[in-house]
């Protein structure tokens, strides 16, 4: 069921269906419709079209070329020698590095090179995932960490304040989205990527009121690795500059060998960071949402629920085109399925449409 904050349920039987067979006939992909402001009938039709739609691997995400990111693909039951051979044969082993992962059963991980948004990198990721799908598996404990260059947020304290506030009030939405094609969080998430909404809200006010400098805040958090957002790698005095180790790490995503989920996660976290740098950051909406969400903070069981109005709100804040919004909502809503108390670590297979490897 949808959370009580939503005004209606998705019901195909009691509404007039739209005449469009494709979602991007109903809304134009490159326009920026305010989905949170849609009337009830249009919104229900949109949600039905989203439910029927499967997201695909895109050639590019329209991310600025000076924004860098890196991926840590964790997996289990790894046939490491065969994986290594496949990486060598496809000329990938010098950049996509295979490592052992001791926290997983017969575990391993592949660390990507420094990546930017281009077709070649996404094709390489697709090939990596194809290899791993044949020679390993994702189980309950696998994570999918994403590093984004700290220069994406930069040195402006207001950008960091905005990021802390935005994460704090939408952490429940971010977590459910980051579960990918799974319906709930991995069982060890509290050990390796705990929620941080309450702390981030307090930190945002400390930074804004100049109780501490950005440098001292980063230094204070250098020992807090095992939380949803990790600042341990952020380099003091280098916020505006690229450096291989100067990254903000997002640790909450579940593990996946689906390149479409990986790409969608990267797009979300980067667009979230870039919104926090913009002059159109909406403090009024964020402050109102904080008052609504006080009873949700840090409660993983409540993070499993669907908060439709809030998700639409975040969607309209950080994305500037309808394609990004549809891709985000498809992964967040997961066909409106909810896992009760994470009894079953189940997948929703209706989210993505795979792209065949042609190499």
């Amino acid at each position: 069921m949808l959370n009580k904050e939503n005004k209606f349920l998705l019901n195909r039987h009691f509404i007039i269906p739209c005449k469009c067979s494709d979602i991007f006939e109903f809304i134009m992909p490159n326009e920026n419709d305010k989905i949170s402001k849609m009337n009830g009938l249009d919104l229900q039709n949109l949600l039905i079209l989203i439910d029927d739609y499967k997201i695909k691997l895109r050639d590019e995400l329209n991310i600025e070329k000076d924004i860098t990111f890196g991926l840590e693909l964790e997996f289990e039951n790894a046939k490491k020698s065969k994986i290594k051979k496949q990486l060598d044969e496809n000329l990938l082993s010098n950049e996509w590095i295979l490592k052992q992962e001791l926290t997983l059963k017969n575990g391993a991980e592949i660390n990507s090179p420094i990546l930017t948004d281009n077709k070649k990198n996404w094709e390489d990721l697709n090939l990596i995932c194809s290899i791993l799908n044949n020679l390993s598996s994702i189980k309950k404990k696998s994570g999918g960490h994403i590093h984004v260059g700290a220069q994406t947020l930069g040195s402006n304290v207001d950008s960091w304040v905005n990021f802390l506030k935005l994460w704090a009030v939408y952490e429940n939405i971010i977590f459910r989205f980051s579960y990918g094609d799974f319906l709930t969080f991995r069982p060890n998430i509290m050990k390796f990527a705990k929620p941080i909404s309450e702390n981030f809200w307090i930190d945002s006010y400390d930074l804004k009121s100049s109780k501490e400098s950005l440098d001292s805040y980063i230094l204070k958090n250098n020992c807090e690795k095992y939380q949803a957002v990790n600042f341990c790698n952020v380099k003091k005095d280098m916020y505006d500059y690229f450096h291989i180790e100067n990254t903000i790490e997002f640790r909450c995503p579940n593990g996946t060998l689906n390149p479409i989920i990986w790409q969608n996660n990267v797009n979300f976290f980067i667009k979230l960071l870039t919104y926090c740098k913009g002059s159109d950051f909406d403090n009024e909406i964020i402050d109102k949402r904080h008052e609504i969400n006080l009873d949700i903070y840090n409660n993983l069981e409540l993070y499993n629920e669907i908060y439709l109005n809030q998700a639409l709100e975040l969607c309209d804040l950080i994305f500037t085109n309808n394609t990004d919004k549809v891709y985000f909502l498809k992964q967040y809503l997961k066909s409106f399925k909810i896992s009760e108390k994470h009894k079953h670590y189940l997948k929703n297979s209706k989210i993505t449409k795979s792209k065949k490897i042609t190499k």
Side-chain angles (χ1 to χ4, degrees):
M1 59 179 291
L2 294 176
N3 184 271
K4 63 183 179 181
E5 79 157 18
N6 301 296
K7 297 180 179 179
F8 53 82
L9 300 177
L10 179 64
N11 193 322
R12 295 170 180 262
H13 303 293
F14 297 102
I15 67 171
I16 301 171
C18 68
K19 296 179 181 180
C20 302
S21 59
D22 184 87
I23 192 166
F24 293 121
E25 296 173 2
F26 185 69
I27 55 173
M28 297 299 100
N30 295 322
E31 293 184 4
N32 185 16
D33 293 324
K34 296 303 177 184
I35 297 177
S36 61
K37 305 297 183 184
M38 279 186 173
N39 67 52
L41 181 58
D42 283 344
L43 181 55
Q44 289 225 30
N45 276 317
L46 177 66
L47 295 176
I48 287 173
L49 288 168
I50 288 174
D51 192 42
D52 289 337
Y53 185 75
K54 289 188 177 183
I55 63 177
K56 299 172 286 187
L57 193 69
R58 294 183 270 179
D59 288 343
E60 292 190 4
L61 301 170
N62 294 317
I63 291 171
E64 297 294 332
K65 299 308 178 185
D66 60 345
I67 294 177
T68 54
F69 58 92
L71 314 176
E72 295 180 23
L73 291 77
E74 294 181 358
F75 42 92
E76 298 188 55
N77 301 324
K79 299 176 181 178
K80 298 183 185 69
S81 60
K82 292 184 177 180
I83 293 172
K84 181 64 167 62
K85 182 180 178 182
Q86 287 287 305
L87 294 177
D88 289 339
E89 289 177 355
N90 286 280
L91 305 178
L92 292 167
S93 58
N94 288 335
E95 293 187 317
W96 295 77
I97 307 303
L98 179 65
K99 297 182 177 181
Q100 191 172 14
E101 176 51 66
L102 297 177
T103 65
L104 303 175
K105 182 179 180 181
N106 193 22
E109 72 174 43
I110 286 182
N111 294 348
S112 78
I114 298 167
L115 302 172
T116 56
D117 175 34
N118 62 66
K119 185 177 180 180
K120 170 65 165 55
N121 284 336
W122 297 123
E123 288 177 342
D124 286 348
L125 174 64
N126 194 26
L127 180 56
I128 291 285
C129 289
S130 178
I131 292 169
L132 295 180
N133 271 303
N134 292 325
L135 299 171
S136 66
S137 60
I138 293 293
K139 299 296 183 182
K140 290 184 178 182
K141 294 183 179 181
S142 302
H145 305 165
I146 295 173
H147 292 256
V148 179
Q151 76 275 7
T152 305
L153 200 54
S155 61
N156 189 313
V157 173
D158 287 340
S159 299
W160 285 81
V161 170
N162 291 345
F163 172 66
L164 296 174
K165 289 180 67 175
L166 190 72
W167 186 281
V169 298
Y170 294 102
E171 186 176 66
N172 57 316
I173 306 298
I174 295 167
F175 265 58
R176 179 176 166 89
F177 170 83
S178 74
Y179 302 156
D181 42 14
F182 288 95
L183 299 181
T184 189
F185 50 90
R186 59 194 185 277
N188 59 357
I189 198 169
M190 286 300 294
K191 182 177 180 180
F192 293 110
K194 63 185 178 182
I196 45 175
S197 52
E198 286 184 311
N199 289 346
F200 268 20
W201 186 260
I202 295 169
D203 291 345
S204 71
Y205 273 87
D206 288 345
L207 270 178
K208 185 68 175 178
S209 61
S210 300
K211 289 183 179 179
E212 61 181 345
S213 68
L214 182 54
D215 283 347
S216 63
Y217 175 72
I218 294 300
L219 183 63
K220 181 180 73 176
N221 280 276
N222 273 349
C223 60
E224 294 291 338
K225 178 179 179 179
Y226 296 115
Q227 56 186 22
V229 184
N230 167 28
F231 297 134
C232 293
N233 300 315
V234 177
K235 301 298 182 185
K236 189 168 75 74
D237 299 324
M238 291 191 62
Y239 308 107
D240 290 314
Y241 304 102
F242 166 77
H243 186 281
I244 188 171
E245 297 175 350
N246 188 29
T247 66
I248 298 169
E249 181 186 16
F250 297 96
R251 298 179 58 84
C252 53
N254 286 341
T256 182
L257 297 180
N258 187 331
I260 305 168
I261 299 295
W262 273 107
Q263 185 186 64
N264 212 26
N265 287 347
V266 167
N267 190 53
F268 173 78
F269 289 121
I270 290 178
K271 299 292 173 64
L272 185 147
L273 287 171
T274 53
Y275 170 68
C276 294
K277 287 183 70 172
S279 59
D280 58 345
F281 189 85
D282 197 326
N283 278 291
E284 183 178 355
I285 286 180
I286 306 302
D287 291 340
K288 286 181 180 177
R289 180 55 60 183
H290 168 65
E291 296 300 321
I292 297 171
N293 278 20
L294 285 174
D295 294 334
I296 300 175
Y297 286 167
N298 289 26
N299 189 328
L300 280 173
E301 298 299 338
L302 293 180
Y303 286 11
N304 274 345
E305 295 188 25
I306 296 172
Y307 298 84
L308 181 59
N309 295 340
Q310 188 185 359
L312 298 178
E313 186 177 88
L314 176 62
C315 183
D316 281 339
L317 286 175
I318 71 172
F319 295 120
T320 58
N321 65 78
N322 291 335
T323 300
D324 281 349
K325 295 181 182 187
V326 168
Y327 274 57
F328 164 76
L329 289 171
K330 179 66 180 183
Q331 187 172 320
Y332 173 76
L333 292 172
K334 307 182 201 303
S335 298
F336 295 89
K337 296 184 182 298
I338 296 174
S339 175
E340 295 184 7
K341 296 185 178 180
H342 57 279
K343 291 180 180 177
H344 304 288
Y345 198 58
L346 299 176
K347 277 188 175 182
N348 183 303
S349 60
K350 291 178 61 178
I351 294 177
T352 65
K353 182 178 182 180
S354 61
K355 179 179 178 181
K356 292 183 178 179
I357 299 292
T358 57
K359 289 188 178 183

